[in-house]
Every structure is written in structure tokens, then in C-alpha cells.
Amino acid sequence: MNLDEIRVDIDALDNQLIDLLEKRMHLVSQVATFKKMTGGRVLDNTRELIILEKVASHVQDPIFTETIVNTFKDILKNSRYYQESALKD
């Protein structure tokens, strides 16, 4: 494979990731609505630790574990920011 072919494959995966992240954010929006109605807090440390442990255990190639877990930390952080904004509205 040459660099252009690899990048085509990366672009295709990026499009799939975008679709999945958008679906995830729709669910996060539902979580924010639920929390708004029930007075729930945005941050649930226990839930986040469970998610990150699950992510780490699901990675098949250990050389990528730290990077993938850190990526999920960013996803969770941005999901919290979204929820905080939604709760202010």
C-alpha cells in the first residue's frame, strides 16, 4: 500500500467514526434531557471509570491502549461539555 491508499482507508474510517460519534451524541442529548428533568448531575465519575476500563480491556493491540483510552477521555469530556450547555438552556 502506498501513502495515498492508506489515507483513503483512513478517510473511510473517519467517516464511519463521524457517523458513530453523531449517533453517540444523540444519545448524550437524551441523557442531558433526562438529567435536566430529574436534576441529575453531569459528571458521574463511577460511570466514566467503568467506560474507560471497558475501553482499555476491549483494545486488542496493547500498544494502542493508552492512545485509545485518552481518545475516549476526550469524548467523555466533550460529552460533559455538551450536557452542561444543554442543562443551561
Short mmCIF file of all heavy atoms in Angstrom, two decimals, residues 10-78:
data_model
loop_
_atom_site.label_atom_id
_atom_site.label_comp_id
_atom_site.label_asym_id
_atom_site.label_seq_id
_atom_site.Cartn_x
_atom_site.Cartn_y
_atom_site.Cartn_z
N ILE A 10 -8.03 5.58 5.76
CA ILE A 10 -8.23 6.40 6.96
C ILE A 10 -9.44 7.29 6.79
O ILE A 10 -10.27 7.41 7.70
CB ILE A 10 -6.96 7.22 7.29
CG1 ILE A 10 -5.87 6.30 7.81
CG2 ILE A 10 -7.27 8.33 8.30
CD1 ILE A 10 -4.52 6.97 8.01
N ASP A 11 -9.58 7.92 5.62
CA ASP A 11 -10.74 8.79 5.37
C ASP A 11 -12.05 8.02 5.48
O ASP A 11 -13.03 8.52 6.03
CB ASP A 11 -10.63 9.45 3.99
CG ASP A 11 -9.53 10.50 3.92
OD1 ASP A 11 -9.04 10.95 4.99
OD2 ASP A 11 -9.17 10.88 2.79
N ALA A 12 -12.07 6.80 4.98
CA ALA A 12 -13.28 5.97 5.05
C ALA A 12 -13.61 5.65 6.51
O ALA A 12 -14.78 5.73 6.93
CB ALA A 12 -13.11 4.69 4.24
N LEU A 13 -12.59 5.31 7.29
CA LEU A 13 -12.82 5.04 8.72
C LEU A 13 -13.25 6.30 9.46
O LEU A 13 -14.11 6.24 10.33
CB LEU A 13 -11.55 4.47 9.36
CG LEU A 13 -11.24 3.01 9.04
CD1 LEU A 13 -9.89 2.61 9.61
CD2 LEU A 13 -12.33 2.11 9.56
N ASP A 14 -12.66 7.43 9.10
CA ASP A 14 -13.05 8.70 9.72
C ASP A 14 -14.54 8.97 9.49
O ASP A 14 -15.24 9.41 10.40
CB ASP A 14 -12.22 9.86 9.18
CG ASP A 14 -10.81 9.89 9.73
OD1 ASP A 14 -10.52 9.15 10.69
OD2 ASP A 14 -9.99 10.67 9.19
N ASN A 15 -15.01 8.70 8.29
CA ASN A 15 -16.44 8.90 8.00
C ASN A 15 -17.31 8.00 8.87
O ASN A 15 -18.36 8.42 9.37
CB ASN A 15 -16.73 8.68 6.52
CG ASN A 15 -16.20 9.80 5.65
OD1 ASN A 15 -16.06 10.93 6.11
ND2 ASN A 15 -15.89 9.50 4.41
N GLN A 16 -16.87 6.76 9.08
CA GLN A 16 -17.61 5.85 9.96
C GLN A 16 -17.59 6.35 11.40
O GLN A 16 -18.61 6.30 12.10
CB GLN A 16 -17.03 4.45 9.88
CG GLN A 16 -17.25 3.76 8.55
CD GLN A 16 -16.55 2.41 8.50
OE1 GLN A 16 -16.35 1.75 9.51
NE2 GLN A 16 -16.17 1.99 7.30
N LEU A 17 -16.43 6.83 11.84
CA LEU A 17 -16.31 7.36 13.19
C LEU A 17 -17.23 8.57 13.39
O LEU A 17 -17.87 8.71 14.43
CB LEU A 17 -14.86 7.76 13.49
CG LEU A 17 -13.89 6.62 13.75
CD1 LEU A 17 -12.46 7.14 13.79
CD2 LEU A 17 -14.23 5.92 15.05
N ILE A 18 -17.28 9.44 12.39
CA ILE A 18 -18.16 10.61 12.47
C ILE A 18 -19.60 10.17 12.64
O ILE A 18 -20.33 10.70 13.50
CB ILE A 18 -17.99 11.51 11.23
CG1 ILE A 18 -16.60 12.16 11.24
CG2 ILE A 18 -19.10 12.57 11.15
CD1 ILE A 18 -16.19 12.74 9.90
N ASP A 19 -20.03 9.21 11.83
CA ASP A 19 -21.40 8.71 11.95
C ASP A 19 -21.67 8.13 13.34
O ASP A 19 -22.71 8.41 13.94
CB ASP A 19 -21.68 7.64 10.88
CG ASP A 19 -21.72 8.20 9.47
OD1 ASP A 19 -21.86 9.43 9.30
OD2 ASP A 19 -21.58 7.39 8.52
N LEU A 20 -20.74 7.35 13.85
CA LEU A 20 -20.91 6.74 15.17
C LEU A 20 -20.89 7.80 16.28
O LEU A 20 -21.69 7.73 17.22
CB LEU A 20 -19.83 5.70 15.42
CG LEU A 20 -19.93 4.43 14.58
CD1 LEU A 20 -18.69 3.56 14.76
CD2 LEU A 20 -21.19 3.65 14.92
N LEU A 21 -20.00 8.77 16.17
CA LEU A 21 -19.95 9.83 17.18
C LEU A 21 -21.22 10.67 17.17
O LEU A 21 -21.70 11.08 18.23
CB LEU A 21 -18.72 10.72 16.96
CG LEU A 21 -17.39 10.07 17.34
CD1 LEU A 21 -16.22 10.92 16.85
CD2 LEU A 21 -17.30 9.84 18.84
N GLU A 22 -21.76 10.90 15.98
CA GLU A 22 -23.02 11.65 15.92
C GLU A 22 -24.16 10.86 16.58
O GLU A 22 -24.96 11.42 17.33
CB GLU A 22 -23.37 12.00 14.47
CG GLU A 22 -24.56 12.93 14.38
CD GLU A 22 -24.78 13.48 12.99
OE1 GLU A 22 -24.10 13.05 12.03
OE2 GLU A 22 -25.65 14.35 12.86
N LYS A 23 -24.21 9.56 16.33
CA LYS A 23 -25.21 8.72 16.99
C LYS A 23 -25.02 8.75 18.50
O LYS A 23 -25.99 8.83 19.27
CB LYS A 23 -25.12 7.28 16.47
CG LYS A 23 -25.63 7.12 15.06
CD LYS A 23 -25.44 5.70 14.55
CE LYS A 23 -25.89 5.59 13.11
NZ LYS A 23 -25.66 4.26 12.54
N ARG A 24 -23.76 8.72 18.94
CA ARG A 24 -23.47 8.77 20.37
C ARG A 24 -23.96 10.10 20.95
O ARG A 24 -24.53 10.14 22.03
CB ARG A 24 -21.97 8.59 20.61
CG ARG A 24 -21.61 8.43 22.07
CD ARG A 24 -20.10 8.31 22.27
NE ARG A 24 -19.78 7.79 23.59
CZ ARG A 24 -19.89 8.48 24.71
NH1 ARG A 24 -20.32 9.72 24.70
NH2 ARG A 24 -19.58 7.91 25.87
N MET A 25 -23.73 11.18 20.24
CA MET A 25 -24.13 12.50 20.74
C MET A 25 -25.65 12.63 20.80
O MET A 25 -26.17 13.32 21.69
CB MET A 25 -23.52 13.61 19.90
CG MET A 25 -22.02 13.79 20.13
SD MET A 25 -21.55 13.97 21.87
CE MET A 25 -22.45 15.43 22.33
N HIS A 26 -26.37 11.98 19.91
CA HIS A 26 -27.84 11.96 20.02
C HIS A 26 -28.25 11.31 21.34
O HIS A 26 -29.18 11.78 22.02
CB HIS A 26 -28.48 11.24 18.83
CG HIS A 26 -28.56 12.07 17.59
ND1 HIS A 26 -29.38 13.17 17.48
CD2 HIS A 26 -27.91 11.97 16.42
CE1 HIS A 26 -29.23 13.71 16.28
NE2 HIS A 26 -28.33 13.00 15.62
N LEU A 27 -27.56 10.24 21.70
CA LEU A 27 -27.85 9.57 22.97
C LEU A 27 -27.44 10.43 24.16
O LEU A 27 -28.15 10.51 25.16
CB LEU A 27 -27.16 8.21 23.03
CG LEU A 27 -27.67 7.18 22.01
CD1 LEU A 27 -26.76 5.96 21.97
CD2 LEU A 27 -29.11 6.79 22.32
N VAL A 28 -26.31 11.11 24.04
CA VAL A 28 -25.86 12.02 25.10
C VAL A 28 -26.90 13.13 25.30
O VAL A 28 -27.19 13.54 26.43
CB VAL A 28 -24.47 12.61 24.76
CG1 VAL A 28 -24.11 13.77 25.68
CG2 VAL A 28 -23.40 11.52 24.83
N SER A 29 -27.47 13.59 24.20
CA SER A 29 -28.52 14.60 24.27
C SER A 29 -29.72 14.08 25.06
O SER A 29 -30.31 14.80 25.88
CB SER A 29 -28.95 15.01 22.86
OG SER A 29 -29.97 15.97 22.91
N GLN A 30 -30.06 12.81 24.85
CA GLN A 30 -31.16 12.21 25.61
C GLN A 30 -30.80 12.10 27.09
O GLN A 30 -31.65 12.33 27.96
CB GLN A 30 -31.49 10.83 25.05
CG GLN A 30 -32.13 10.87 23.67
CD GLN A 30 -32.37 9.48 23.12
OE1 GLN A 30 -32.57 8.53 23.87
NE2 GLN A 30 -32.34 9.35 21.80
N VAL A 31 -29.55 11.78 27.37
CA VAL A 31 -29.08 11.73 28.76
C VAL A 31 -29.22 13.11 29.39
O VAL A 31 -29.70 13.24 30.52
CB VAL A 31 -27.63 11.22 28.84
CG1 VAL A 31 -27.04 11.44 30.22
CG2 VAL A 31 -27.54 9.75 28.45
N ALA A 32 -28.80 14.15 28.67
CA ALA A 32 -28.90 15.51 29.19
C ALA A 32 -30.35 15.89 29.48
O ALA A 32 -30.64 16.49 30.52
CB ALA A 32 -28.28 16.50 28.21
N THR A 33 -31.24 15.52 28.59
CA THR A 33 -32.67 15.80 28.80
C THR A 33 -33.16 15.09 30.05
O THR A 33 -33.87 15.69 30.88
CB THR A 33 -33.49 15.36 27.57
OG1 THR A 33 -33.05 16.10 26.43
CG2 THR A 33 -34.97 15.59 27.78
N PHE A 34 -32.79 13.84 30.22
CA PHE A 34 -33.19 13.08 31.41
C PHE A 34 -32.65 13.74 32.67
O PHE A 34 -33.38 13.91 33.66
CB PHE A 34 -32.70 11.63 31.30
CG PHE A 34 -33.08 10.79 32.48
CD1 PHE A 34 -34.33 10.19 32.54
CD2 PHE A 34 -32.20 10.61 33.53
CE1 PHE A 34 -34.68 9.41 33.64
CE2 PHE A 34 -32.54 9.83 34.63
CZ PHE A 34 -33.80 9.24 34.68
N LYS A 35 -31.37 14.11 32.64
CA LYS A 35 -30.77 14.74 33.82
C LYS A 35 -31.42 16.08 34.13
O LYS A 35 -31.57 16.45 35.29
CB LYS A 35 -29.26 14.89 33.62
CG LYS A 35 -28.52 13.56 33.69
CD LYS A 35 -27.03 13.74 33.46
CE LYS A 35 -26.30 12.41 33.55
NZ LYS A 35 -24.85 12.57 33.31
N LYS A 36 -31.80 16.80 33.08
CA LYS A 36 -32.46 18.09 33.29
C LYS A 36 -33.81 17.90 33.98
O LYS A 36 -34.18 18.63 34.88
CB LYS A 36 -32.64 18.80 31.95
CG LYS A 36 -33.09 20.23 32.06
CD LYS A 36 -33.06 20.91 30.70
CE LYS A 36 -33.26 22.40 30.86
NZ LYS A 36 -33.07 23.10 29.60
N MET A 37 -34.53 16.87 33.57
CA MET A 37 -35.85 16.60 34.15
C MET A 37 -35.75 16.07 35.58
O MET A 37 -36.63 16.31 36.39
CB MET A 37 -36.61 15.59 33.28
CG MET A 37 -37.01 16.14 31.94
SD MET A 37 -37.92 15.00 30.82
CE MET A 37 -37.84 13.43 31.57
N THR A 38 -34.67 15.35 35.88
CA THR A 38 -34.56 14.70 37.19
C THR A 38 -33.59 15.41 38.14
O THR A 38 -33.42 14.99 39.28
CB THR A 38 -34.09 13.24 37.03
OG1 THR A 38 -32.80 13.23 36.42
CG2 THR A 38 -35.09 12.44 36.20
N GLY A 39 -32.93 16.46 37.64
CA GLY A 39 -31.97 17.16 38.48
C GLY A 39 -30.66 16.41 38.65
O GLY A 39 -29.92 16.66 39.61
N GLY A 40 -30.37 15.52 37.73
CA GLY A 40 -29.13 14.74 37.82
C GLY A 40 -27.90 15.57 37.52
O GLY A 40 -27.98 16.60 36.86
N ARG A 41 -26.78 15.12 38.04
CA ARG A 41 -25.50 15.79 37.80
C ARG A 41 -24.91 15.32 36.48
O ARG A 41 -25.11 14.19 36.07
CB ARG A 41 -24.53 15.48 38.93
CG ARG A 41 -24.96 16.05 40.27
CD ARG A 41 -23.96 15.79 41.39
NE ARG A 41 -22.60 15.61 40.92
CZ ARG A 41 -21.80 14.63 41.34
NH1 ARG A 41 -22.21 13.76 42.23
NH2 ARG A 41 -20.57 14.52 40.89
N VAL A 42 -24.14 16.21 35.85
CA VAL A 42 -23.50 15.86 34.58
C VAL A 42 -22.42 14.81 34.80
O VAL A 42 -22.39 13.78 34.12
CB VAL A 42 -22.91 17.12 33.90
CG1 VAL A 42 -22.05 16.73 32.71
CG2 VAL A 42 -24.03 18.05 33.46
N LEU A 43 -21.52 15.06 35.73
CA LEU A 43 -20.39 14.15 35.92
C LEU A 43 -20.77 12.97 36.80
O LEU A 43 -21.27 13.14 37.91
CB LEU A 43 -19.21 14.90 36.56
CG LEU A 43 -17.95 14.08 36.82
CD1 LEU A 43 -17.42 13.46 35.54
CD2 LEU A 43 -16.89 14.95 37.48
N ASP A 44 -20.50 11.79 36.27
CA ASP A 44 -20.67 10.54 37.03
C ASP A 44 -19.33 9.82 36.95
O ASP A 44 -19.06 9.07 36.01
CB ASP A 44 -21.80 9.70 36.42
CG ASP A 44 -22.08 8.42 37.17
OD1 ASP A 44 -21.21 7.99 37.98
OD2 ASP A 44 -23.14 7.83 36.96
N ASN A 45 -18.48 10.07 37.95
CA ASN A 45 -17.13 9.51 37.95
C ASN A 45 -17.13 7.99 37.84
O ASN A 45 -16.31 7.41 37.12
CB ASN A 45 -16.37 9.93 39.21
CG ASN A 45 -15.91 11.35 39.14
OD1 ASN A 45 -15.42 11.80 38.11
ND2 ASN A 45 -16.07 12.08 40.23
N THR A 46 -18.03 7.34 38.54
CA THR A 46 -18.09 5.88 38.52
C THR A 46 -18.38 5.38 37.11
O THR A 46 -17.71 4.47 36.61
CB THR A 46 -19.16 5.36 39.51
OG1 THR A 46 -18.86 5.86 40.81
CG2 THR A 46 -19.20 3.85 39.52
N ARG A 47 -19.36 5.99 36.46
CA ARG A 47 -19.71 5.60 35.09
C ARG A 47 -18.53 5.80 34.15
O ARG A 47 -18.23 4.95 33.32
CB ARG A 47 -20.93 6.42 34.63
CG ARG A 47 -21.24 6.31 33.16
CD ARG A 47 -21.96 5.04 32.80
NE ARG A 47 -22.35 5.10 31.39
CZ ARG A 47 -22.30 4.06 30.58
NH1 ARG A 47 -21.94 2.87 31.03
NH2 ARG A 47 -22.65 4.17 29.33
N GLU A 48 -17.85 6.94 34.29
CA GLU A 48 -16.72 7.20 33.40
C GLU A 48 -15.58 6.21 33.62
O GLU A 48 -14.97 5.75 32.66
CB GLU A 48 -16.23 8.64 33.55
CG GLU A 48 -17.24 9.61 32.96
CD GLU A 48 -16.66 10.97 32.64
OE1 GLU A 48 -15.42 11.16 32.72
OE2 GLU A 48 -17.45 11.86 32.28
N LEU A 49 -15.30 5.86 34.86
CA LEU A 49 -14.26 4.86 35.12
C LEU A 49 -14.61 3.51 34.52
O LEU A 49 -13.76 2.83 33.96
CB LEU A 49 -14.03 4.72 36.63
CG LEU A 49 -13.28 5.87 37.29
CD1 LEU A 49 -13.27 5.68 38.81
CD2 LEU A 49 -11.87 5.99 36.76
N ILE A 50 -15.89 3.14 34.63
CA ILE A 50 -16.34 1.88 34.03
C ILE A 50 -16.15 1.90 32.52
O ILE A 50 -15.66 0.93 31.93
CB ILE A 50 -17.81 1.59 34.40
CG1 ILE A 50 -17.92 1.26 35.90
CG2 ILE A 50 -18.39 0.47 33.55
CD1 ILE A 50 -19.34 1.24 36.42
N ILE A 51 -16.52 3.02 31.89
CA ILE A 51 -16.36 3.15 30.44
C ILE A 51 -14.89 3.01 30.05
O ILE A 51 -14.54 2.26 29.13
CB ILE A 51 -16.93 4.49 29.93
CG1 ILE A 51 -18.45 4.51 30.06
CG2 ILE A 51 -16.51 4.75 28.48
CD1 ILE A 51 -19.07 5.88 29.82
N LEU A 52 -14.01 3.73 30.76
CA LEU A 52 -12.59 3.72 30.41
C LEU A 52 -11.97 2.35 30.65
O LEU A 52 -11.13 1.90 29.86
CB LEU A 52 -11.85 4.81 31.18
CG LEU A 52 -12.26 6.23 30.80
CD1 LEU A 52 -11.59 7.24 31.72
CD2 LEU A 52 -11.98 6.54 29.34
N GLU A 53 -12.39 1.65 31.70
CA GLU A 53 -11.89 0.29 31.93
C GLU A 53 -12.36 -0.65 30.83
O GLU A 53 -11.60 -1.51 30.36
CB GLU A 53 -12.36 -0.21 33.29
CG GLU A 53 -11.65 0.44 34.45
CD GLU A 53 -12.26 0.09 35.81
OE1 GLU A 53 -13.20 -0.73 35.87
OE2 GLU A 53 -11.78 0.65 36.81
N LYS A 54 -13.62 -0.47 30.41
CA LYS A 54 -14.15 -1.30 29.33
C LYS A 54 -13.39 -1.05 28.02
O LYS A 54 -13.05 -1.98 27.29
CB LYS A 54 -15.64 -1.02 29.14
CG LYS A 54 -16.33 -1.99 28.22
CD LYS A 54 -17.82 -1.74 28.00
CE LYS A 54 -18.52 -0.88 28.99
NZ LYS A 54 -19.92 -0.60 28.67
N VAL A 55 -13.13 0.22 27.75
CA VAL A 55 -12.37 0.58 26.54
C VAL A 55 -10.99 -0.08 26.59
O VAL A 55 -10.58 -0.73 25.62
CB VAL A 55 -12.25 2.12 26.41
CG1 VAL A 55 -11.22 2.49 25.35
CG2 VAL A 55 -13.60 2.74 26.09
N ALA A 56 -10.30 0.09 27.70
CA ALA A 56 -8.95 -0.47 27.83
C ALA A 56 -8.95 -1.99 27.64
O ALA A 56 -8.06 -2.54 26.98
CB ALA A 56 -8.35 -0.10 29.18
N SER A 57 -9.94 -2.65 28.18
CA SER A 57 -9.99 -4.11 28.07
C SER A 57 -10.41 -4.58 26.68
O SER A 57 -10.16 -5.73 26.31
CB SER A 57 -10.92 -4.70 29.13
OG SER A 57 -12.27 -4.39 28.84
N HIS A 58 -11.03 -3.70 25.92
CA HIS A 58 -11.50 -4.07 24.59
C HIS A 58 -10.44 -3.89 23.51
O HIS A 58 -10.53 -4.49 22.44
CB HIS A 58 -12.75 -3.25 24.25
CG HIS A 58 -13.52 -3.79 23.09
ND1 HIS A 58 -14.30 -4.92 23.18
CD2 HIS A 58 -13.63 -3.37 21.82
CE1 HIS A 58 -14.85 -5.16 22.00
NE2 HIS A 58 -14.46 -4.23 21.16
N VAL A 59 -9.43 -3.06 23.79
CA VAL A 59 -8.37 -2.83 22.80
C VAL A 59 -7.59 -4.12 22.61
O VAL A 59 -7.14 -4.73 23.58
CB VAL A 59 -7.43 -1.68 23.26
CG1 VAL A 59 -6.27 -1.51 22.29
CG2 VAL A 59 -8.22 -0.38 23.40
N GLN A 60 -7.43 -4.51 21.36
CA GLN A 60 -6.77 -5.78 21.09
C GLN A 60 -5.25 -5.67 21.02
O GLN A 60 -4.55 -6.60 21.40
CB GLN A 60 -7.32 -6.38 19.79
CG GLN A 60 -8.77 -6.77 19.91
CD GLN A 60 -9.33 -7.37 18.64
OE1 GLN A 60 -8.60 -7.75 17.74
NE2 GLN A 60 -10.64 -7.45 18.56
N ASP A 61 -4.74 -4.56 20.53
CA ASP A 61 -3.30 -4.38 20.41
C ASP A 61 -2.84 -3.45 21.53
O ASP A 61 -3.12 -2.25 21.50
CB ASP A 61 -2.93 -3.80 19.05
CG ASP A 61 -1.45 -3.85 18.77
OD1 ASP A 61 -0.65 -3.81 19.74
OD2 ASP A 61 -1.07 -3.90 17.59
N PRO A 62 -2.15 -3.98 22.53
CA PRO A 62 -1.81 -3.20 23.72
C PRO A 62 -1.00 -1.93 23.44
O PRO A 62 -1.03 -1.01 24.25
CB PRO A 62 -1.01 -4.16 24.59
CG PRO A 62 -0.96 -5.45 23.89
CD PRO A 62 -1.67 -5.35 22.60
N ILE A 63 -0.31 -1.86 22.32
CA ILE A 63 0.46 -0.64 22.05
C ILE A 63 -0.45 0.56 21.80
O ILE A 63 -0.01 1.70 21.88
CB ILE A 63 1.46 -0.81 20.87
CG1 ILE A 63 0.74 -1.03 19.55
CG2 ILE A 63 2.45 -1.91 21.16
CD1 ILE A 63 1.65 -0.94 18.34
N PHE A 64 -1.74 0.31 21.53
CA PHE A 64 -2.69 1.40 21.28
C PHE A 64 -3.57 1.73 22.48
O PHE A 64 -4.35 2.68 22.43
CB PHE A 64 -3.58 1.06 20.08
CG PHE A 64 -2.84 0.79 18.81
CD1 PHE A 64 -3.06 -0.36 18.09
CD2 PHE A 64 -1.90 1.70 18.33
CE1 PHE A 64 -2.38 -0.62 16.91
CE2 PHE A 64 -1.22 1.46 17.15
CZ PHE A 64 -1.45 0.30 16.44
N THR A 65 -3.46 0.96 23.55
CA THR A 65 -4.38 1.13 24.69
C THR A 65 -4.38 2.55 25.23
O THR A 65 -5.44 3.16 25.37
CB THR A 65 -4.05 0.13 25.81
OG1 THR A 65 -4.14 -1.19 25.28
CG2 THR A 65 -5.00 0.28 26.98
N GLU A 66 -3.22 3.09 25.54
CA GLU A 66 -3.16 4.43 26.13
C GLU A 66 -3.77 5.48 25.20
O GLU A 66 -4.56 6.33 25.64
CB GLU A 66 -1.71 4.81 26.46
CG GLU A 66 -1.60 6.16 27.12
CD GLU A 66 -0.17 6.52 27.47
OE1 GLU A 66 0.77 5.71 27.23
OE2 GLU A 66 0.03 7.64 27.99
N THR A 67 -3.45 5.41 23.93
CA THR A 67 -3.96 6.38 22.96
C THR A 67 -5.48 6.29 22.83
O THR A 67 -6.18 7.32 22.81
CB THR A 67 -3.29 6.17 21.59
OG1 THR A 67 -1.88 6.33 21.73
CG2 THR A 67 -3.83 7.15 20.56
N ILE A 68 -6.00 5.08 22.77
CA ILE A 68 -7.44 4.91 22.61
C ILE A 68 -8.18 5.32 23.87
O ILE A 68 -9.22 5.98 23.81
CB ILE A 68 -7.76 3.46 22.17
CG1 ILE A 68 -7.21 3.23 20.75
CG2 ILE A 68 -9.26 3.18 22.24
CD1 ILE A 68 -7.27 1.80 20.26
N VAL A 69 -7.64 4.98 25.04
CA VAL A 69 -8.26 5.41 26.29
C VAL A 69 -8.26 6.93 26.37
O VAL A 69 -9.27 7.54 26.75
CB VAL A 69 -7.56 4.77 27.51
CG1 VAL A 69 -7.98 5.44 28.81
CG2 VAL A 69 -7.85 3.27 27.57
N ASN A 70 -7.15 7.56 25.99
CA ASN A 70 -7.10 9.03 26.00
C ASN A 70 -8.10 9.64 25.03
O ASN A 70 -8.69 10.69 25.31
CB ASN A 70 -5.69 9.52 25.71
CG ASN A 70 -4.75 9.31 26.87
OD1 ASN A 70 -5.18 9.23 28.02
ND2 ASN A 70 -3.46 9.22 26.59
N THR A 71 -8.30 9.00 23.89
CA THR A 71 -9.30 9.47 22.93
C THR A 71 -10.69 9.42 23.56
O THR A 71 -11.48 10.37 23.43
CB THR A 71 -9.25 8.62 21.64
OG1 THR A 71 -7.94 8.75 21.07
CG2 THR A 71 -10.30 9.06 20.65
N PHE A 72 -10.97 8.33 24.27
CA PHE A 72 -12.27 8.23 24.94
C PHE A 72 -12.40 9.23 26.07
O PHE A 72 -13.50 9.74 26.33
CB PHE A 72 -12.53 6.79 25.42
CG PHE A 72 -13.28 5.98 24.41
CD1 PHE A 72 -12.62 5.38 23.37
CD2 PHE A 72 -14.66 5.86 24.48
CE1 PHE A 72 -13.30 4.64 22.41
CE2 PHE A 72 -15.35 5.14 23.53
CZ PHE A 72 -14.68 4.53 22.49
N LYS A 73 -11.31 9.54 26.75
CA LYS A 73 -11.37 10.59 27.78
C LYS A 73 -11.80 11.91 27.15
O LYS A 73 -12.61 12.65 27.73
CB LYS A 73 -10.01 10.76 28.46
CG LYS A 73 -9.68 9.65 29.43
CD LYS A 73 -8.31 9.89 30.06
CE LYS A 73 -7.94 8.76 31.00
NZ LYS A 73 -6.59 8.96 31.58
N ASP A 74 -11.28 12.20 25.96
CA ASP A 74 -11.68 13.42 25.25
C ASP A 74 -13.15 13.36 24.84
O ASP A 74 -13.87 14.36 24.93
CB ASP A 74 -10.81 13.65 24.02
CG ASP A 74 -9.41 14.13 24.36
OD1 ASP A 74 -9.21 14.66 25.47
OD2 ASP A 74 -8.51 13.96 23.52
N ILE A 75 -13.59 12.21 24.38
CA ILE A 75 -15.00 12.05 24.01
C ILE A 75 -15.89 12.31 25.21
O ILE A 75 -16.89 13.03 25.14
CB ILE A 75 -15.26 10.65 23.41
CG1 ILE A 75 -14.60 10.53 22.03
CG2 ILE A 75 -16.76 10.35 23.32
CD1 ILE A 75 -14.58 9.12 21.47
N LEU A 76 -15.53 11.72 26.35
CA LEU A 76 -16.33 11.90 27.57
C LEU A 76 -16.30 13.36 28.03
O LEU A 76 -17.33 13.91 28.44
CB LEU A 76 -15.82 10.98 28.68
CG LEU A 76 -15.99 9.48 28.41
CD1 LEU A 76 -15.29 8.66 29.49
CD2 LEU A 76 -17.46 9.10 28.29
N LYS A 77 -15.14 14.00 27.95
CA LYS A 77 -15.03 15.41 28.34
C LYS A 77 -15.94 16.27 27.47
O LYS A 77 -16.69 17.11 27.97
CB LYS A 77 -13.58 15.87 28.22
CG LYS A 77 -13.38 17.35 28.54
CD LYS A 77 -11.95 17.78 28.29
CE LYS A 77 -11.76 17.88 26.81
NZ LYS A 77 -10.48 18.42 26.39
N ASN A 78 -15.91 16.04 26.17
CA ASN A 78 -16.74 16.83 25.27
C ASN A 78 -18.22 16.52 25.44
O ASN A 78 -19.07 17.40 25.27
CB ASN A 78 -16.28 16.65 23.82
CG ASN A 78 -15.01 17.41 23.55
OD1 ASN A 78 -15.00 18.64 23.59
ND2 ASN A 78 -13.93 16.70 23.33
#
